[in-house]
């Protein structure tokens, strides 16, 4: 166990919806990147559906956050941060937002949420704006 206890990796359903949409829209590279991002979830789908979580490794679990789906305002960053604040409130422990996006980082900090830099293997490259996605 790490010094802070188990790690719960919680993915808002909003993120899943966005990845699902990108599997079928955009360039071939965007579709492939979305499918690649969803692969670890697909591999653990049986556990996620039966137990409500899946073991990723050691003390790390994967869970979905379904709250807030009907109250979305249309700005994905704000909606995700709203959900992070909700989770922090109900869990009564710190929530850390992982992002490689400077705007999301600034929004999270102003809301007093902890922020972690997205691991380089998962970070988006600027070429995504041109329809291409590359791991950094």
């Amino acid at each position: 166990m790490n010094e802070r206890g188990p790690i719960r990796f919680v993915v808002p359903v909003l993120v899943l919806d966005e990845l699902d949409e990108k599997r079928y829209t955009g360039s071939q590279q965007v579709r492939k990147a979305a499918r690649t991002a969803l692969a670890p979830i697909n591999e653990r789908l049986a556990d996620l559906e039966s137990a409500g979580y899946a073991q990723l490794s050691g003390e790390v679990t994967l869970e979905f956050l379904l709250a807030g789906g009907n109250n979305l305002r249309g700005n994905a960053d704000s909606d995700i941060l709203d959900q992070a604040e909700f989770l922090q409130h109900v869990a009564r422990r710190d929530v850390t937002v992982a992002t490689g996006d400077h705007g999301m980082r600034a929004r999270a900090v102003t809301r007093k949420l902890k922020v972690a830099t997205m691991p380089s293997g998962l970070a988006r490259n600027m070429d995504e704006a041109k329809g291409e996605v590359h791991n950094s």
Side-chain angles (χ1 to χ4, degrees), residues 21-43:
E21 179 184 336
K22 290 185 184 295
R23 286 187 313 161
Y24 303 107
T25 61
S27 70
Q28 181 177 354
Q29 291 88 355
V30 169
R31 291 190 308 268
K32 181 179 178 185
R35 288 185 180 108
T36 300
L38 287 167
I41 293 169
N42 291 334
E43 293 168 5

Side-chain angles (χ1 to χ4, degrees), residues 18-121:
E18 188 171 329
L19 287 169
D20 279 336
E21 179 184 336
K22 290 185 184 295
R23 286 187 313 161
Y24 303 107
T25 61
S27 70
Q28 181 177 354
Q29 291 88 355
V30 169
R31 291 190 308 268
K32 181 179 178 185
R35 288 185 180 108
T36 300
L38 287 167
I41 293 169
N42 291 334
E43 293 168 5
R44 294 165 178 86
L45 209 48
D47 289 338
L48 286 162
E49 290 174 351
S50 65
Y53 71 95
Q55 199 72 36
L56 289 180
S57 65
E59 296 278 327
V60 181
T61 58
L62 171 66
E63 303 171 48
F64 297 136
L65 178 61
L66 302 176
N70 296 328
N71 300 321
L72 302 179
R73 295 178 293 184
N75 178 291
D77 285 356
S78 293
D79 293 337
I80 290 167
L81 293 173
D82 287 348
Q83 292 179 2
E85 285 180 318
F86 167 78
L87 184 59
Q88 184 165 275
H89 176 74
V90 299
R92 295 183 181 191
R93 62 185 278 194
D94 288 337
V95 168
T96 302
V97 175
T99 183
D101 179 11
H102 296 294
M104 173 75 113
R105 183 179 206 85
R107 287 180 185 91
V109 168
T110 62
R111 291 178 182 225
K112 308 287 189 236
L113 291 164
K114 291 185 175 190
V115 183
T117 302
M118 183 71 71
S120 62

Side-chain angles (χ1 to χ4, degrees), residues 112-132:
K112 308 287 189 236
L113 291 164
K114 291 185 175 190
V115 183
T117 302
M118 183 71 71
S120 62
L122 299 175
R124 296 184 301 181
N125 187 302
M126 289 303 295
D127 287 340
E128 181 181 18
K130 300 175 196 167
E132 299 176 11

